[in-house]
Amino acid sequence: MRKMNKIIVITICALLLITMIYHRVKPLPEGISYASDIVELSENEVEFLADVTYQKDGKEIVDHTIFNEITQAIQSAEHFIILDLFLVNSYSNGERDYPTISSDLSKALLKQLENHPDLKVIFITDHINTTYGSHIAEEIAPLEKMGAEIVYTDLNQLRDPNILYSGLWRTLFQWFGQEGTGWLPNPMANSAPNVTLRSYLKLLNIKANHRKVVITEDAGFIMSANPHDASGFHSNIGFKVKGEILFDMIQAERAVAAFSNGDLSHFPTEEELERWIQKSSLPKGDNKKAASSNFNRR
């Protein structure tokens, strides 16, 4: 009997060890660690953006250049909008009134879907906005009803940074799921819905899709800013790019949707992109800058 117990313990420990090591070093999904060839951009095809909050003459000044530009791009889009955004919610601890960034973004997308029924909208995001399955994402769910393709990144396909805990979670806890009636306080904010214990267990994996990317047929945005109300007074930077580099940005986002079981038919085809994205018309030798899109794993 003791020998049998010993075998069982050794087997369990071996299974845990193998799981921990494999999911720390396993191959990444195809296309997720992506670096494009160098693309030359003219000066009018790349622009530096910044959101800043500062004090001037005793007053707080808030300049949301990044999200103002993104809203304008959404309002101009007629063919497609691809978003890959981490934090998208209005939850806060109520210390002050925050900018309504998340709802403004959602409203702009909804209005554009209404105005252009054939508009292709793909919204890739992280399950942190549902606190890992405990509730709906209030700013994102209405977009799905309007026909947008909503893709929650399948983090299980990616490597585990928290190797000791994640091996335990994958072996024992993940099979119970996360959905259900929450009864524990939300770790994100006081105003957020309660969450399940199972959501807490997944949260401890410390994994997330931290990308902040928006792409339309006219421009692409790569930034450090989240459309998250409680982050509305943070300072952030971003770049607005145009031209051929958009092809590479879209290819990198298709890879995320692919390994997360998204419907790739919502993405524009290569033929459509050739028609819709305006390539640089400047001859070689004009004032250009070299750039490449580099999207590594999360």
Side-chain angles (χ1 to χ4, degrees), residues 26-237:
K26 67 182 180 181
L28 291 169
E30 183 178 356
I32 194 59
S33 185
Y34 177 84
S36 74
D37 295 331
I38 292 177
V39 179
E40 290 188 333
L41 304 177
S42 63
E43 285 194 343
N44 63 357
E45 290 176 330
V46 58
E47 181 180 355
F48 175 79
L49 306 172
D51 282 358
V52 294
T53 301
Y54 59 95
Q55 298 291 325
K56 183 177 181 180
D57 299 329
K59 294 182 179 180
E60 185 175 59
I61 308 299
V62 181
D63 184 358
H64 280 159
T65 301
I66 295 174
F67 286 106
N68 289 341
E69 288 281 343
I70 288 174
T71 299
Q72 291 177 21
I74 289 172
Q75 292 171 343
S76 300
E78 297 181 359
H79 301 301
F80 70 87
I81 305 171
I82 301 170
L83 310 98
D84 191 344
L85 299 169
F86 174 47
L87 271 175
V88 190
N89 64 65
S90 60
Y91 305 135
S92 73
N93 290 329
E95 291 122 351
R96 59 182 301 183
D97 292 331
Y98 291 100
T100 56
I101 304 172
S102 59
S103 61
D104 291 346
L105 176 71
S106 181
K107 289 175 183 177
L109 290 167
L110 286 170
K111 184 174 182 180
Q112 204 65 7
L113 280 164
E114 291 176 0
N115 293 339
H116 299 276
D118 294 329
L119 181 69
K120 299 173 182 283
V121 175
I122 304 97
F123 201 133
I124 302 169
T125 190
D126 189 87
H127 259 303
I128 194 171
N129 296 301
T130 66
T131 316
Y132 302 98
S134 283
H135 54 84
I136 65 167
E138 295 180 0
E139 282 74 24
I140 298 174
L143 299 171
E144 188 170 18
K145 294 179 180 179
M146 287 293 294
E149 171 66 2
I150 307 301
V151 180
Y152 285 97
T153 310
D154 185 0
L155 302 175
N156 294 340
Q157 300 297 321
L158 303 179
R159 293 171 181 160
D160 294 335
N162 190 359
I163 180 172
L164 294 177
Y165 175 78
S166 293
L168 188 66
W169 179 83
R170 285 182 182 274
T171 305
L172 300 178
F173 302 140
Q174 69 168 324
W175 316 109
F176 299 105
Q178 285 79 48
E179 296 180 2
T181 302
W183 56 279
L184 294 171
N186 197 302
M188 304 300 169
N190 294 336
S191 64
N194 289 340
V195 300
T196 65
L197 175 60
R198 290 166 294 159
S199 290
Y200 266 95
L201 292 174
K202 186 168 186 178
L203 171 65
L204 293 174
N205 279 305
I206 315 176
K207 295 177 68 174
N209 172 359
H210 270 281
R211 286 187 183 178
K212 295 98 174 172
V213 176
V214 177
I215 314 165
T216 72
E217 65 263 26
D218 296 321
F221 299 85
I222 306 167
M223 62 271 187
S224 64
N226 289 301
H228 174 233
D229 292 10
S231 302
F233 297 116
H234 295 177
S235 293
N236 286 285
I237 65 168

Side-chain angles (χ1 to χ4, degrees), residues 39-46 242-244 278-289:
V39 179
E40 290 188 333
L41 304 177
S42 63
E43 285 194 343
N44 63 357
E45 290 176 330
V46 58
K242 297 182 178 181
E244 295 178 44
Q278 184 176 357
K279 298 180 181 179
S280 176
S281 59
L282 291 179
K284 292 184 177 180
D286 279 21
N287 197 8
K288 292 187 175 184
K289 298 180 179 180

